Structure formats: C-alpha cells, structure tokens
Amino acid sequence: MGLGEKIAKARRKTGLSQEQLADFLQVSRQAVQKWESDMSVPQLDKLITLSRRFNISLDSLLDNEPNVRNADERVAENRPCNYTVIDYRDTYSEDFVVEYQQLWDEGFDIGKYKKMALEVPGLPETKESKAIAENLASLMMKESMRKDYKFYEPCNLEEIKCCRKQSGVALAKGISKTSIRKKIKGAWLGRVAGCLLGKPIEGMKKDELNFFLKETNNYPIHRYVKKSDLNEELYGKLKHNLREREFAMGDMVDGMPIDDDTTYTILAAKLIKEKGRGFSSDDILKAWTSWQTKDKYYTAELRAYINYINGYESPNTAVYKNPYREWIGAQIRGDYFGYINPGDPEAAAEMAYRDASVSHIKNGIYGEMFVSAMLAAAAACNDVRNVIMCGLAEIPSTSRLYDSVMELVGMYDSGKSVEECKKWIYKQYDDNNLHHWCHTISNALIVVMSLLYGKKDFSSTICLAVGCGFDTDCNGATAGSILGMILGDDGIPDKWTSCFKKGVETGISGYELITIDDFCDLAMSHLSSDFNN
C-alpha cells in the first residue's frame, strides 16, 4: 500500500473529508487530493502531524520496508540496522540530500520528494530521524524511472559484459618481465607522486586553489607544495586549513605519508598474497575489518564496513544506507589489479569488479573497472587515447561514465582546447557541491582530460590533474599511475621521486613501510601463470 492510499484510508477511518483534513493541516483541499493520488508527498512537518492525528507511527505511514536494493534492481530483503554499533560518523540522515541527488542521478522519478528530502538533514539527530530518512529513501526507490532517462546501468558482471563495446585496439603481446617490472615501478612511482602533489590541497575548491597557487608562485601548479611557501599572512587568507597538511608538503617528507590512495593498493597486494588471484568479495570485507580500524575508512567504504559488521553480505553492503555508492572511493582502489594483469584489461576489470561491488554500484563499480583496465592496457600500449578506449571497452556503453568520457574524447578529437574541456566539466559539475566534488564521473573526466592533454609528459599530466581541483590527490594519483605505466620509471623526472627513497607508509600490518622496489617485487610475484612459465 502506497503513502497516498494510507493517508486516504486513515482519513476515511477517522470520518474526515478531504476538506476537513485540509483545514486541520492548514493546506488546500487540492494538496490533500494530490497526496492521496500520489501526485505529491506531504512535507515532513505535515507527515508528523498526520501520524499523530491518525495515531499511527511514521514507520507505518512511510511503509517500513527495507530500503536496500540488491546489485541489480530495487529492493532486497535485509535485516534492520543495529544502531548500537554505529558511531558519530553514521551520517545518513545528515547527508540525505546526497541520497536524493544520487537517486536522481540513477534516473528515479522523485521530483515530488525533493522539498521533503531537503528537510531531513535539519531534523534533530535521533533514532527517529534516522528512521525517517530510511523510510523516505525506501519510498523514493520504489518510484519508476524517468521517461527521458537514457541509461542502462547493470551491476551484475555478466550483464555488464553484455553492455560492452569492443575497443578495436590491439595490445602488444609477449611483454618481457624486465619491461613489466619497469612499467609497474613507473606506475607505482606515478601514483605516489601524483598523490603527494594533490594531498596538501585536497578539499580546496578551485577558486581558492588558484588563489593559493598564484600567491606561492606555483600557478599553474608545476611542483610540490612546500611549507616554505607559507607564512602567517597567507594562512589567514585561506579557508582551507593547510596547517593540518604540512606533514605532506614536498619539503617536509622523506617518504610517502599514509594516504588511502596508496594504502588501498598495498591492501590489495596483501589480499592477493594471502588469498590468491581468485579472492572473493567476502575476502575483501574480511580484510578491511581485520587489517585496519574503522577510522581508516570514509564515505562508501565506511558504510560498507559498518554494514558488514552488522551482518550484511556483499553486494548489500554497498547499498544499505549508502548515499556515497557512486563516489570516487572504488576508483582509487583498483590500481593493483591493473599492475598484475599487464596486457589483459578484462582480467584486471574482473578483479576490480569483485573489489568495487562490496561498497559501490553502477558507475562507482565502473570507475574502478575503467581504471584497472586502463592500467593493464597501458602495460602493452603506448598510445594514451587507445589506453582510454581499452578501459572504456570493459564498462557498459549504456552508462553515464562511458557517455561522458566519450563526449570528452570527442571534444579532444575535434580540436577543443584544454581550457574548453575544463569549462565543459565545470559546467556539469560544481566543486562546491560535495556530491559533484567526490563523484566517480567528475573525477574520472579530470583524469581522462589530463591524460589526453598532458601529451605523455609526466609533469604536465599530474599537474593538470591536480590543478583542476576536485579530488586532487585521487586524480593526481590515478593519472600518474596510468601514465607511469606507459612511460616506465625512466619516464618520470627525479624531481617527483627523489623524496620517496624511504618508501611508502601504510596502515597495513606487515607493510607499515614498504620500499618502492619491495613493492615491485611483490607485484611481480602476483602476475598470472602466463608470465611464470
């Protein structure tokens, strides 16, 4: 029974006409009529008043069914959340605007819920307000798709494969192990360098970022941010708290400090070492909860972590109370699967799928598959555009990510300038909107743009990726990793790598500090049997 039918039934049971209920609620009769015909929904204050007037709970009124969708479609049966084990970072009701934006992006016809959804974050932080958010999400997820929505985005791997288009790119065969090792080293150095370049300024919006870079004679950005760039006057002019990031500035490091953009790569390496190339999604969740504490996870990954310790299994860990399910988190986790599958984008993408589906859906999954496949292709292809096309060949051609990247590639092919491409991205995505700032697609577009317009120059590529703003350390790391795989370690200037002689710090037991060469040895030991015969 829908919300409108419940209101009508409760009204008739209490002997009220539509006019009488409207007078009681101080709304028009037409408003009540629209509610009862499901043409619109009451605002939150009216829903609360209705529940009191009819003596029924908000849960019953809003239809207290699980709001968890399975990996492919709408609603999957699951147990309710155990609030006793969720800490202060359970922000589902606080971030409910993101849930609304996410469902709209997915194509649900939920415009009539917008005003109500915007009110949820303003409610007092209580168990009841969390229940309102869950039930409202359940209502929105039951709506049909908008008629003008042109995308089809499956989460099942076999369906994903059915929606692919082949790239038509022939990859080199018979790559030597010596060459592969140099490429893996280049990719790892590129990831670390790109991450460090973007780490101090992560979170700066582009206007403040440009101001800061100009004030420090680093515009356009062409070197690491340095503590020596800063003084008390400049600190006072910035909203972004750079004091908290001094430990990650180029003149303050003797190795790469802990960062999730590099730690996830080490976590994947340890996973392969312990579980082999056939690891399962459940192995990933067990590793997350065993090898790191909860405070090391954020947004979609934190949500999946909490869901798992509450008894959920993949893929439901990715969808229950997870408005971040298409954010960038999975896209930064897939590098290792590309490293250990040189020349085999499909194998890399399949591993990435197993990883991404524990915390993400749709384009969140495709982002990790796309990056992993590009890295695998980059080991056997020196042409950046072809590498991008190989990555696209592993994700649905019916998806928003594919459509957006192809439009960007088309702009590049037609001779559009890098500035024109930047403006095109900024027009679609506002970095002041957190959902846009942290989304898979907005950041993937920046990575693709930097690869295309960087012209295979490492410095130009990572500086373009970071200088655009948005998720700076993630984009610098991913662009640096892909181009580093193409170029090999010899193609990366010393100015970006000389500060990593100590190695890379992680939060992973047994790998608290790993040197660049030890990492490469580990990756080489995880190549498929084809390289070990």
Side-chain angles (χ1 to χ4, degrees):
M1 187 185 300
L3 175 61
E5 188 177 352
K6 286 186 176 184
I7 293 173
K9 183 178 179 180
R11 174 182 59 76
R12 289 192 292 267
K13 186 176 179 180
T14 53
L16 294 174
S17 66
Q18 287 185 339
E19 289 84 354
Q20 288 171 321
L21 182 59
D23 287 342
F24 174 73
L25 295 171
Q26 296 185 324
V27 297
S28 67
R29 183 189 64 78
Q30 289 82 2
V32 174
Q33 189 176 41
K34 286 182 178 181
W35 298 344
E36 293 186 356
S37 60
D38 284 323
M39 294 177 64
S40 65
V41 294
Q43 296 178 22
L44 275 178
D45 61 332
K46 304 302 182 188
L47 276 173
I48 292 169
T49 303
L50 283 168
S51 72
R52 291 172 178 167
R53 176 65 181 83
F54 297 145
N55 195 28
I56 57 178
S57 69
L58 271 176
D59 277 5
S60 298
L61 192 60
L62 288 172
D63 193 7
N64 189 24
E65 297 177 13
N67 70 325
V68 184
R69 284 172 297 154
N70 64 23
D72 291 314
E73 293 299 333
R74 291 297 187 77
V75 180
E77 196 171 323
N78 225 316
R79 70 184 68 180
C81 186
N82 178 0
Y83 288 95
T84 62
V85 297
I86 297 180
D87 66 9
Y88 67 96
R89 290 193 296 166
D90 175 36
T91 58
Y92 188 59
S93 56
E94 293 176 31
D95 287 349
F96 200 74
V97 173
V98 175
E99 180 65 81
Y100 179 85
Q101 292 175 310
Q102 174 60 39
L103 287 170
W104 181 265
D105 288 349
E106 290 180 56
F108 289 96
D109 191 4
I110 56 172
K112 63 184 179 182
Y113 297 98
K114 183 175 182 179
K115 187 172 182 180
M116 187 176 174
L118 295 178
E119 293 174 338
V120 170
L123 295 173
E125 185 67 16
T126 64
K127 182 177 179 179
E128 288 72 24
S129 68
K130 293 176 186 293
I132 288 172
E134 292 181 58
N135 285 306
L136 181 55
S138 180
L139 271 179
M140 292 192 291
M141 289 177 186
K142 292 171 186 172
E143 292 294 328
S144 59
M145 304 297 281
R146 300 193 301 276
K147 291 181 180 179
D148 62 346
Y149 195 72
K150 67 179 183 178
F151 304 105
Y152 176 66
E153 298 175 329
C155 294
N156 176 276
L157 183 59
E158 292 310 312
E159 287 191 62
I160 288 172
K161 290 180 178 180
C162 289
C163 294
R164 298 179 303 183
K165 282 185 179 179
Q166 294 303 307
S167 68
V169 177
L171 299 177
K173 302 294 183 182
I175 318 165
S176 71
K177 291 186 74 171
T178 301
S179 174
I180 290 172
R181 194 183 193 286
K182 291 183 69 65
K183 284 179 170 290
I184 290 175
K185 186 173 183 178
W188 183 229
L189 283 170
R191 168 154 281 273
V192 173
C195 179
L196 186 65
L197 179 64
K199 188 173 178 66
I201 51 180
E202 180 190 14
M204 266 193 183
K205 303 305 184 285
K206 64 179 183 297
D207 291 339
E208 183 177 38
L209 174 60
N210 290 338
F211 166 78
F212 168 70
L213 294 175
K214 289 174 181 177
E215 287 288 301
T216 56
N217 298 314
N218 194 13
Y219 181 85
I221 191 169
H222 56 274
R223 57 170 173 79
Y224 288 129
V225 174
K226 298 179 180 180
K227 187 176 183 298
S228 57
D229 290 336
L230 299 161
N231 54 49
E232 290 302 316
E233 181 182 1
L234 184 53
Y235 276 130
K237 293 179 180 179
L238 299 172
K239 295 179 182 178
H240 183 72
N241 189 354
L242 275 175
R243 293 183 193 277
E244 293 182 349
R245 298 298 180 95
E246 289 179 354
F247 71 94
M249 295 181 182
D251 53 351
M252 300 294 289
V253 300
D254 57 357
M256 178 64 201
I258 293 176
D259 188 278
D260 56 354
D261 288 276
T262 50
T263 295
Y264 277 122
T265 312
I266 304 299
L267 193 150
K270 183 175 180 179
L271 178 73
I272 299 288
K273 182 177 181 180
E274 296 199 2
K275 298 298 180 179
R277 293 169 60 91
F279 66 90
S280 68
S281 294
D282 190 59
D283 290 330
I284 292 166
L285 289 164
K286 287 178 180 176
W288 284 12
T289 53
S290 299
W291 297 345
Q292 291 193 118
T293 54
K294 186 165 56 176
D295 63 325
K296 299 298 189 296
Y297 298 94
Y298 305 92
T299 62
E301 287 73 22
L302 176 61
R303 184 69 258 166
Y305 185 110
I306 291 172
N307 285 340
Y308 185 65
I309 63 176
N310 274 298
Y312 292 82
E313 296 179 353
S314 178
N316 285 330
T317 47
V319 290
Y320 181 58
K321 289 179 65 178
N322 183 6
Y324 325 108
R325 54 192 177 270
E326 284 193 312
W327 282 17
I328 195 175
Q331 190 162 271
I332 70 171
R333 302 200 318 249
D335 283 51
Y336 198 72
F337 308 128
Y339 295 175
I340 64 173
N341 288 290
D344 193 349
E346 186 170 26
E350 194 276 334
M351 285 187 178
Y353 171 84
R354 279 181 265 156
D355 181 74
S357 58
V358 306
S359 56
H360 287 73
I361 69 165
K362 299 184 178 184
N363 295 277
I365 294 174
Y366 311 153
E368 182 168 349
M369 296 177 74
F370 178 48
V371 169
S372 299
M374 282 195 286
L375 279 158
C381 178
N382 292 324
D383 183 89
V384 168
R385 189 186 183 284
N386 284 344
V387 165
I388 293 167
M389 297 310 295
C390 285
L392 287 176
E394 299 302 328
I395 68 172
S397 62
T398 55
S399 67
R400 284 167 279 149
L401 177 59
Y402 185 99
D403 187 73
S404 294
V405 172
M406 281 301 297
E407 187 168 354
L408 177 57
V409 171
M411 294 175 68
Y412 172 79
D413 290 344
S414 68
K416 298 290 185 184
S417 70
V418 66
E419 292 302 321
E420 288 176 302
C421 286
K422 282 184 189 179
K423 288 178 181 177
W424 175 76
I425 294 172
Y426 294 151
K427 185 176 180 179
Q428 296 179 83
Y429 296 98
D430 178 5
D431 67 343
N432 291 298
N433 179 323
L434 185 61
H435 184 57
H436 290 186
W437 182 88
C438 214
H439 202 276
T440 289
I441 298 176
S442 55
N443 290 288
L445 290 174
I446 289 172
V447 169
V448 170
M449 180 185 66
S450 68
L451 288 168
L452 289 171
Y453 288 91
K455 303 294 185 183
K456 289 176 68 172
D457 178 86
F458 183 81
S459 298
S460 297
T461 298
I462 64 168
C463 288
L464 182 54
V466 171
C468 285
F470 286 80
D471 204 335
T472 51
D473 60 336
C474 292
N475 296 335
T478 299
S481 185
I482 294 168
L483 187 59
M485 181 68 88
I486 292 174
L487 300 175
D489 61 315
D490 292 337
I492 302 179
D494 289 342
K495 76 171 188 174
W496 298 113
T497 61
S498 60
C499 55
F500 303 132
K501 289 183 172 61
K502 180 181 174 183
V504 178
E505 296 178 24
T506 82
I508 306 299
S509 177
Y511 299 91
E512 289 84 358
L513 179 65
I514 185 169
T515 68
I516 300 296
D517 285 331
D518 284 348
F519 173 85
C520 294
D521 291 341
L522 187 61
M524 291 297 292
S525 72
H526 294 155
L527 300 179
S528 71
S529 58
D530 294 341
F531 291 96
N532 295 314
N533 292 332

